[in-house]
Amino acid sequence: MELSLLFEIMLIFFLGIGSQWVAWRYRMPAIVVMAVTGLIIGPLFGLINPEEDFGSLYKPIISVAVAIILFEGSLNLSFKELRGLGKPVFRIATVGAFLAWIFGSLTAHYIAGLSWAVAFVIGGLFIVTGPTVIMPLLRQSKLKPRPAKILKWEGIIVDPIGALLAVFAFEIIAFLTANNPDGTKLLLFFAASIFAAVFGWLCGRGIGWIFENGYIPEFLKSPAVFTAVIFCFTIPDEIMHETGLLSVTAMGITLANMGISSVADMRHFKENISILLISAIFIMLTASLQLDTILHIFSPNIIGYVLLMMFLVRPLSIFLSTIGTGLTFNERLLVGWIAPRGIVALTVSSYFASILLGAGYDDANILTTLTFGLVFFTVISHGFSIGWLAKRLNLSMEGKPGTLIVGSNLFTVELAKSLAKADVPIIIVDSSWERLKAAREAGVPFYHEEVLSEQTEYHLDTIPYEYLIAATDSKSYNSLVCTTFMPEYGRTNVFKISPYDKEYRSSSEIVSKVGGRILFRKEVNLEDLVEKINKGFVFRQTNITEQYTYKQYREDQDEETVFLYIIKPSGQIKFYSEEMRTVPSTGDIIVSLMPRNKEKAKIQARLGNGNNNE
């Protein structure tokens, strides 16, 4: 049965997002799941072949998607992130990239058996990593900020550099091997590269100026940016192939450093589009491969080339380029190992394969096989090893999911102390030094800054925290904080203290409906919780067992008791909320806020039972 093009498009998106979900559900590298899925539906079972089925639209679709993905990644590259990292990032993106090009070209010539011309083209291309493969790995591995930022900056900056190096190598080769050498094309390459960078900067400044002056309404801003990205990519790419990647990177970095609030507002939307495109494009690329190409990967010269690229070329270029940069040995070891290749390598190599074959370099026919071999082995090995290696090198933030609490008061300090006793990472953030007095005196970790400020974004490491609680005395501010952080933490992980009063009335109808789930119960607001602390209420942990069930526990509590959260045997935290179904099971620990006399009564009853047993 031949599938319609519409059904094939649906299948690609369905399997792409399905692969992302499977990877999230079972804690697997998403790029590995997507690659395997594409191979299964493409070359193995022959269900689809997007390259043939899409025809002439295939390459433009891939190119535009790569441009949008690269732009979205570069939109996160604020120079403020580079404080303390400028030197290693600069060295890796320049010296490291050059060394990787030279070493990779030598390896391609002597091990893979490629001619010098083809080797230097592919050597330049294979220095790329890119956001399509690096970003999913960083989300999965929970690296500490410094190595994570280095890998992110390298992946996005070196992506266009690798493509340009491949073009540069080809132009040099064409110049040197020509019967009548003409430097015009070589000069055109350099001029086109400079034009692409300047054009991208102008596009970024232009979009920023339009946004700042309000010439585009809010509902048109996202479509306008995407249209500008395609424009910014296409014009330079028509002049010189692959310079469009440099242009959109320059545009993204320019916008990222202009400090425009509306651009920041769109960032999460663009991240969602980027994930959708990565999922679809990776499925399309792997499904378009031929079975012969996959089988050829396991030939000795290609396996030898891939192993040397992974275990010698990459580590050596990183270690040499980062001498004297202040990176620790463990950080250099991790960065030197992690370099998965992805969409840019696959797409650009197919372009150069056709160009080199047309120029008479017959050995270029193995470029696609060589590229996919490197992509497949690096994606598999780095995808499964990054988390393990980060833990071994003490560069991982793995541990129990932490909680970030916005607002310092008597209740939040006691809540933080109870979470800390359960070995849950916690931090209290407040802009008032006076309000933070209780947290300081209690020895609770705190951060003195406005949580919504740009400074907090760059200085507070939020990786250890999976939950956010807004618990200030301003109900509208709590809703604003929850709304701001909901895209980052997820709708089910963002909570606010109830905005209602005793009669279930909110100070604003909007405040009660936007931004975060209501923590605990609607009738228990911050004033009630602080009052309970002042009355001497205590935090109590209760184990749910087969002998003492959750039903019995509920029957033992009075109306004043507030159920706070559950600690699962795995260490995961589940906060109580009427808007979420929270049902403890055997082995769980329930933490509640109850009157002290209730606590004393339970102790006395227990002691009494113990005496009777004696």
Side-chain angles (χ1 to χ4, degrees), residues 12-13 16-17 20 34 61-70 72 132 226 229 270-285 343:
I12 288 169
F13 280 108
I17 297 302
Q20 292 274 6
M34 289 186 290
I61 289 173
I62 298 289
S63 297
V64 169
V66 170
I68 292 172
I69 293 166
L70 193 57
E72 188 278 322
T132 59
F226 280 116
V229 169
K270 291 190 291 293
E271 285 175 357
N272 294 336
I273 295 297
S274 181
I275 290 173
L276 182 65
L277 290 175
I278 289 172
S279 306
I281 298 305
F282 224 89
I283 296 289
M284 290 175 64
L285 288 171
I343 289 174

Side-chain angles (χ1 to χ4, degrees), residues 121-147:
V121 170
I122 206 68
L125 179 61
F126 283 169
I127 71 170
V128 305
T129 53
T132 59
V133 283
I134 283 295
M135 295 306 184
L137 288 188
L138 296 181
R139 280 193 292 268
Q140 157 209 335
S141 60
K142 294 186 178 180
L143 289 182
K144 287 185 177 179
R146 193 153 82 159

Side-chain angles (χ1 to χ4, degrees), residues 80-349:
K80 293 181 180 179
E81 270 194 4
L82 282 178
R83 292 171 181 168
L85 294 177
K87 194 173 183 180
V89 168
F90 176 78
R91 288 271 199 90
I92 290 172
T94 53
V95 178
F98 178 77
L99 292 175
W101 179 31
I102 300 301
F103 295 153
S105 302
L106 294 174
T107 305
H109 176 70
Y110 288 108
I111 304 300
L114 298 176
S115 62
W116 282 113
V118 178
F120 269 93
V121 170
I122 206 68
L125 179 61
F126 283 169
I127 71 170
V128 305
T129 53
T132 59
V133 283
I134 283 295
M135 295 306 184
L137 288 188
L138 296 181
R139 280 193 292 268
Q140 157 209 335
S141 60
K142 294 186 178 180
L143 289 182
K144 287 185 177 179
R146 193 153 82 159
K149 289 177 181 178
I150 289 174
L151 287 171
K152 181 180 77 172
W153 273 85
E154 181 205 7
I156 296 170
I157 292 177
V158 176
D159 230 28
I161 292 176
L164 289 175
L165 271 180
V167 177
F168 171 70
F170 177 75
E171 295 296 340
I172 287 288
I173 291 162
F175 174 76
L176 295 177
T177 57
N179 293 327
N180 297 309
D182 184 6
T184 305
K185 287 188 176 180
L186 205 56
L187 292 174
L188 179 61
F189 164 75
F190 288 111
S193 300
I194 294 172
F195 169 77
V198 174
F199 188 72
W201 177 81
L202 288 173
C203 288
R205 296 295 299 183
I207 287 292
W209 179 80
I210 291 172
F211 282 7
E212 284 182 322
N213 288 277
Y215 292 125
I216 293 183
E218 290 297 323
F219 75 94
L220 279 181
K221 284 185 176 179
S222 290
V225 168
F226 280 116
T227 303
V229 169
I230 297 172
F231 173 77
C232 183
F233 170 79
T234 303
I235 299 302
D237 211 64
E238 288 292 308
I239 297 173
M240 177 67 71
H241 201 63
E242 304 309 327
T243 56
L245 297 177
L246 176 63
S247 187
V248 293
T249 303
M251 177 182 171
I253 293 176
T254 302
L255 277 171
N257 291 277
M258 289 182 69
I260 303 171
S261 60
S262 55
V263 172
D265 294 339
M266 291 187 295
R267 184 170 293 148
H268 294 297
F269 171 72
K270 291 190 291 293
E271 285 175 357
N272 294 336
I273 295 297
S274 181
I275 290 173
L276 182 65
L277 290 175
I278 289 172
S279 306
I281 298 305
F282 224 89
I283 296 289
M284 290 175 64
L285 288 171
T286 51
S288 298
L289 293 169
Q290 300 297 319
L291 192 58
D292 293 343
T293 301
I294 299 171
L295 295 176
H296 194 197
I297 288 173
F298 300 98
S299 59
N301 61 329
I302 291 183
I303 289 180
Y305 172 76
V306 170
L307 291 177
L308 281 176
M309 287 291 289
M310 293 170 59
F311 291 97
L312 181 63
V313 172
R314 169 68 179 186
L316 186 60
S317 61
I318 292 297
F319 268 82
L320 291 177
S321 64
T322 54
I323 293 174
T325 58
L327 294 182
T328 66
F329 176 81
N330 285 357
E331 288 172 333
R332 294 167 73 188
L333 186 62
L334 180 70
V335 174
W337 169 243
I338 302 300
R341 276 63 168 190
I343 289 174
V344 171
L346 281 172
T347 54
V348 179
S349 68

Side-chain angles (χ1 to χ4, degrees), residues 80-81 83 145 149 404-406 427-432 446-463 465 468 477 481 484-485 488-489:
K80 293 181 180 179
E81 270 194 4
R83 292 171 181 168
K149 289 177 181 178
L404 188 152
I405 303 173
V406 181
I427 191 167
I428 293 178
V429 181
D430 202 305
S431 59
S432 169
F446 65 90
Y447 183 77
H448 178 218
E449 190 59 75
E450 168 56 56
V451 73
L452 298 177
S453 74
E454 191 177 9
Q455 296 300 318
T456 301
E457 181 180 352
Y458 294 117
H459 292 101
L460 177 62
D461 177 23
T462 59
I463 292 177
Y465 312 108
L468 180 140
Y477 180 77
V481 169
T484 302
F485 285 95
E488 180 177 345
Y489 285 86

